[in-house]
Amino acid sequence: MKISVIIPTYNRADKIQKSIESVYFQEGKGELFDISQIIIMDDCSIDNTKELIEELQKKYENLLYYRQDKNGGSAKARNRAMREVVSEKWVAFQDSDDVWNKDKLKEMCLYIEKHPDAQLYSHWYTALTAEDEAVEVGIDEREDYLEELAVRNFIGSPTFFVDKDAFMDVGGLDENITALEDWEFLVRFASKYKIRVVPKSLMQVDLISEGMSSDIGKYYDSRCYIIAKNRQILLERNLFDKAVESLLVSAKKNGVLENVGRILEAYLK
C-alpha cells in the first residue's frame, strides 16, 4: 500500500519537526506500506517554518513543501493538497502539533487487511489537555456511525486515513465553516460511504493549542451550521431532532442556550 500524508501548518515551527518525524519513522514502512509523499501545506506562517522544512528536506526524502497564497485555514490547505499534490489512493491526515505512535500505520494497514470494505478509517487517540491529563477518545466498532456523529464527533481529522476519490466525491472539507470542519465532513461522508474505527489509541493529539475548537462562540456557531447544512441527511435518517436536542442541551449546560437558539434559527431559515 502506498500512502500520501498531508500536514497543514501555521506558525508551528516549534512543533512540526516532531510531527514529521513521527510520520517518517513508522514501523512496517517498506514492508506493509510505503509513504510516497509527506506534504507540508504552509498556511502563510510568519515564523521560520519554511526555513525549517528546507533543512528537513535535506534529511528526509519525499518531504514536499507548499505555501498558500494567503491564510485560509486548514480545510483549504488540505483540499488544495488533495486536488493538486496527492498522488496516491490512500491519504493520511496529520496535524503539525500532533505525534503519531510509531506503530500507527502498521496497525492501520493490518486492520484494513482484515476489514477492506471502508473508504475512511480512523482510530482512537489520546488527547492531551490543559489540565495535564491524557484522555483516551474513541468509540466501539459498529457498522454505521452516522447516528453517533449526529450528536458528537469522536473522529479527529489527524486520524483520517481516507480514500482520495471518496473524499473528493463528497466535496472535500467545507472551507466556509469556522471550526469543526472535520465533524461536518464526516456527517456527509458517513451518509454515503463506510467508516471503520480501529479500537486502539494510535496517536497523541494536542488539545492545549487547539484554539479554534476551544472557542465557545465558534464551536456553537459551527454546530448550528453543521445541522443546518446537513438537515436533509439528518431528516432522511430520522436524526435531525436528536442532533438539535443534543446541541441545545449542551448550550444550556454552558449558559448560552438563548444565543445558540437564535443562531440555529437563523441558519435554518
Side-chain angles (χ1 to χ4, degrees):
M1 178 183 290
K2 293 185 177 181
I3 302 166
S4 296
V5 179
I6 301 173
I7 308 178
T9 190
Y10 178 68
N11 291 342
R12 295 260 177 80
D14 59 330
K15 295 184 177 184
I16 193 171
Q17 183 169 348
K18 287 185 178 180
S19 173
I20 292 169
E21 290 177 345
S22 78
V23 173
Y24 196 81
F25 295 109
Q26 284 286 300
E27 294 178 353
K29 188 169 70 169
E31 299 172 7
L32 291 172
F33 61 88
D34 287 302
I35 299 175
S36 301
Q37 306 165 295
I38 302 177
I39 304 162
I40 309 301
M41 300 299 296
D42 187 349
D43 200 22
C44 289
S45 297
I46 56 174
D47 61 4
N48 64 320
T49 292
K50 183 176 185 292
E51 292 75 18
L52 174 65
I53 299 303
E54 288 174 346
E55 287 300 311
L56 293 176
Q57 285 176 317
K58 298 174 184 177
K59 297 171 61 178
Y60 304 127
E61 62 181 1
N62 301 328
L63 181 60
L64 308 178
Y65 175 83
Y66 294 84
R67 183 177 173 87
Q68 296 286 77
D69 293 333
K70 60 181 180 179
N71 182 270
S74 62
K76 185 169 289 187
R78 285 192 173 104
N79 284 345
R80 180 191 171 197
M82 280 292 209
R83 287 193 311 269
E84 301 178 13
V85 188
V86 165
S87 63
E88 304 300 343
K89 171 183 174 65
W90 288 104
V91 185
F93 285 6
Q94 166 68 316
D95 279 353
S96 57
D97 58 342
D98 295 333
V99 176
W100 286 1
N101 291 8
K102 62 183 180 180
D103 62 344
K104 170 188 158 87
L105 290 182
K106 180 179 76 173
E107 292 288 339
M108 296 290 286
C109 289
L110 291 173
Y111 184 88
I112 291 169
E113 284 183 3
K114 296 179 181 178
H115 308 280
D117 57 339
Q119 291 74 45
L120 187 150
Y121 294 86
S122 179
H123 55 76
W124 296 7
Y125 61 90
T126 301
L128 307 177
T129 72
E131 291 75 31
D132 201 27
E133 295 178 339
V135 180
E136 200 166 83
V137 179
I139 189 171
D140 294 336
E141 292 179 275
R142 57 188 68 185
E143 289 302 309
D144 185 354
Y145 289 101
L146 184 56
E147 182 174 357
E148 193 69 21
L149 285 166
V151 297
R152 73 180 181 102
N153 186 23
F154 43 88
I155 302 176
S157 56
T159 72
F160 283 18
F161 192 89
V162 64
D163 181 302
K164 177 186 176 181
D165 290 340
F167 177 92
M168 299 303 293
D169 182 54
V170 300
L173 295 163
D174 189 321
E175 298 177 10
N176 298 311
I177 194 170
T178 57
L180 310 180
E181 65 270 18
D182 49 0
W183 190 354
E184 192 284 322
F185 168 82
L186 287 163
V187 172
R188 283 184 284 122
F189 196 92
S191 72
K192 188 170 185 180
Y193 290 104
K194 188 171 185 62
I195 296 173
R196 283 195 177 274
V197 179
V198 180
K200 181 178 181 180
S201 178
L202 296 176
M203 72 179 297
Q204 294 182 353
V205 174
D206 178 13
L207 294 187
I208 299 170
S209 58
E210 291 291 327
M212 184 176 294
S213 56
S214 63
D215 184 306
I216 193 169
K218 288 181 178 179
Y219 173 82
Y220 281 112
D221 182 85
S222 295
R223 281 198 66 176
C224 292
Y225 177 90
I226 290 168
I227 291 171
K229 178 180 175 180
N230 296 287
R231 170 169 36 182
Q232 192 58 39
I233 290 172
L234 296 170
L235 285 170
E236 288 174 358
R237 291 287 299 272
N238 295 318
L239 295 172
F240 180 78
D241 290 344
K242 185 175 182 179
V244 171
E245 180 183 9
S246 172
L247 167 68
L248 297 179
V249 167
S250 173
K252 183 177 181 180
K253 182 179 178 180
N254 286 289
V256 292
L257 178 60
E258 187 175 343
N259 288 340
V260 170
R262 285 199 297 265
I263 294 169
L264 180 60
E265 183 179 0
Y267 273 129
L268 289 172
K269 285 183 177 178

